[in-house]
Amino acid sequence: MKLCLLHSKPILLTLLPRQVFTVCLLYEIDKGKASPLHPYFLHLPRSYSILAAFGELETQALQVDYAIWAAQKAVTKAKYEWEQAFTLMKELKLKPPLLTFRAWIWATGTALDLKPNYVRAWANMGISYANQVFVGCMVQD
């Protein structure tokens, strides 16, 4: 039996589509080999060079005040979005390593990398990005 989480989880209404997409990605990874996307996941990068992934050393190496501020702001924003989605991730019973901020940053980088391709494909089929995220991802087996 399939249950659309949009109807049972009001928290989805407060999340941005990119947050839902990121949770969907983590949810599929949590399925392990049972996910039809598992072979694809094995080939994804282990890290991304996005500002939200910058540590203190990388941030200070930027040297320019505005660049340092932008990196710090990206981390703050990512933590805020992770905290907003955390309740949903716990309700989905994701494995503890997938609940971490580090996993969120990786999944966000992956989603940013994937999104243009999905949005383009969905647009060609006449499907909006936001509708696809809510209808296509959040279905539990």
Side-chain angles (χ1 to χ4, degrees):
M1 178 175 140
K2 294 191 183 249
L3 168 69
C4 182
L5 295 174
L6 180 59
H7 300 296
S8 64
K9 307 292 184 201
I11 188 147
L12 280 178
L13 301 175
T14 64
L15 298 178
L16 297 169
R18 71 173 170 262
Q19 288 171 289
V20 175
F21 192 83
T22 302
V23 172
C24 289
L25 181 62
L26 291 169
Y27 182 73
E28 282 298 317
I29 289 169
D30 190 60
K31 291 180 182 179
K33 291 181 180 178
S35 171
L37 299 173
H38 179 72
Y40 174 74
F41 292 149
L42 296 176
H43 298 285
L44 290 173
R46 298 289 174 226
S47 64
Y48 293 93
S49 296
I50 59 175
L51 282 179
F54 278 27
E56 188 62 34
L57 185 63
E58 292 94 349
T59 301
Q60 293 307 316
L62 294 171
Q63 298 180 358
V64 178
D65 288 342
Y66 181 75
I68 292 169
W69 174 85
Q72 291 169 339
K73 180 84 169 168
V75 172
T76 301
K77 182 180 177 191
K79 282 186 180 176
Y80 177 74
E81 290 183 358
W82 169 63
E83 289 167 354
Q84 284 183 310
F86 192 78
T87 302
L88 176 61
M89 294 189 302
K90 283 187 78 162
E91 287 181 16
L92 290 171
K93 296 179 174 67
L94 297 183
K95 292 177 185 88
L98 297 175
L99 294 172
T100 64
F101 180 63
R102 183 175 176 172
W104 179 262
I105 291 297
W106 175 84
T108 300
T110 301
L112 289 170
D113 194 37
L114 295 175
K115 182 183 167 190
N117 297 321
Y118 280 105
V119 171
R120 194 174 309 112
W122 293 331
N124 290 339
M125 294 184 284
I127 303 169
S128 78
Y129 168 65
N131 289 342
Q132 185 60 27
V133 168
F134 289 117
V135 174
C137 290
M138 299 307 285
V139 177
Q140 233 181 3
D141 296 321

